[in-house]
Amino acid sequence: MKNPVSEASIRQSSQPRAWRGLRRLALVAVLAIGLLTQPVRAGEKQEGTVRNSRWVYEEVLQSQTRRLPAAILQATKCIAIFPGLKEAAFAFGGRHGTGTITCRNDEGVWSPPAFLKLSAGSFGLQIGYQASDIMMFFVTEKAAQAILEPKFALGGDLSVAAGPYSDTAGVTSAKDLTQDIYIYSRASGLFAGASFEGTRLAMSSKAIRRYYGHYIWPGAILFEHDVPFMPGEAEEFVDGLQQIRWE
């Protein structure tokens, strides 16, 4: 004679295992569908950085009220742009952010954008003012070559100063350029009381990989203009720079 208690116990114990197996299969199916339908596209965060960088340089370089000295524009070899740096994370008084960088060749053609990281223990005004958008003008060969270093520091490896304007400074020719890098803020243009000592810059391989689909040596992007494709906002970024009068 069969034991009804034993049969009921077997049926009850086998049901949870069966349901668990079905749930696992359903979860795998959902994940597989999600992977298949996920669009392949440039990193959304990097797209925004490129797009915002263009807006920043347009504001700075096309201003009708405060113009940059022609000597700086003519000598510029590379520019780095950090849009919305005021929104970067703060930690122990430091500031961190990612921006774009582009360099022009001897024919005056600007490169596709690469990405640069900034980190500093005491970057920004020491009087409580919070800078927003920042542009760095690399005006010497030494500064341009330093970009390819694993990491370089402003004020140590490279000399740096707040950028002057045509109506405020006696910068009329290349001989008046005494710094490697000149820095401007879209908010105020001049960092009175600011300290750039110890500010570190380094190429962001992660941002490059996400934007272009795989890692590309920064030198190939900036000095050989070699990228697998040009996203729409990158084309607009470069085209806008080409239309600016660099003198």
Side-chain angles (χ1 to χ4, degrees):
M1 183 175 180
K2 295 182 179 179
N3 187 342
V5 176
S6 299
E7 291 180 356
S9 300
I10 293 172
R11 285 197 299 269
Q12 289 175 0
S13 62
S14 63
Q15 286 177 358
R17 285 198 295 271
W19 279 109
R20 284 197 296 270
L22 288 174
R23 284 197 294 268
R24 290 194 190 99
L25 288 173
L27 179 59
V28 171
V30 169
L31 292 174
I33 292 172
L35 291 173
L36 290 173
T37 58
Q38 184 177 9
V40 178
R41 50 171 295 184
E44 183 176 356
K45 183 177 180 180
Q46 287 70 42
E47 287 180 358
T49 300
V50 173
R51 192 176 296 112
N52 292 336
S53 293
R54 182 189 177 192
W55 294 339
V56 171
Y57 76 63
E58 286 178 343
E59 289 286 337
V60 174
L61 298 175
Q62 297 179 353
S63 172
Q64 298 300 314
T65 57
R66 307 204 72 183
R67 296 182 179 277
L68 275 62
I72 289 180
L73 296 178
Q74 292 169 356
T76 296
K77 301 180 182 302
C78 304
I79 55 173
I81 308 166
F82 294 90
L85 195 61
K86 64 182 180 181
E87 299 174 0
F90 283 80
F92 305 103
R95 180 171 288 182
H96 309 272
T98 300
T100 56
I101 184 166
T102 178
C103 299
R104 61 177 171 178
N105 58 23
D106 294 337
E107 287 73 41
V109 178
W110 289 95
S111 73
F115 296 90
L116 197 64
K117 297 182 297 184
L118 178 149
S119 60
S122 59
F123 184 86
L125 290 177
Q126 305 302 312
I127 57 175
Y129 180 77
Q130 188 169 308
S132 55
D133 304 320
I134 292 174
M135 283 191 71
M136 299 184 178
F137 292 76
F138 295 64
V139 299
T140 64
E141 190 64 33
K142 174 184 176 183
Q145 292 302 316
I147 294 170
L148 300 181
E149 295 294 328
K151 184 179 292 187
F152 57 98
L154 302 182
D157 304 327
L158 300 170
S159 59
V160 61
Y165 287 96
S166 296
D167 58 352
T168 60
V171 179
T172 58
S173 65
K175 63 181 178 60
D176 298 319
L177 301 178
T178 59
Q179 308 295 324
D180 294 308
I181 300 174
Y182 290 92
I183 302 182
Y184 291 83
S185 164
R186 188 173 67 127
S188 64
L190 197 62
F191 288 91
S195 173
F196 298 103
E197 297 293 329
T199 299
R200 297 176 298 279
L201 299 173
M203 299 302 301
S204 176
S205 58
K206 179 189 293 185
I208 291 173
R209 184 181 299 109
R210 288 181 176 176
Y211 191 65
Y212 290 109
H214 61 84
Y215 176 72
I216 308 171
W217 180 52
I221 300 174
L222 298 174
F223 302 117
E224 300 173 14
H225 301 194
D226 184 12
V227 293
F229 65 97
M230 282 278 278
E233 66 279 349
E235 291 184 357
E236 294 175 354
F237 175 89
V238 174
D239 290 344
L241 288 171
Q242 294 300 145
Q243 295 171 18
I244 291 173
R245 186 176 180 181
W246 293 87
E247 56 183 34

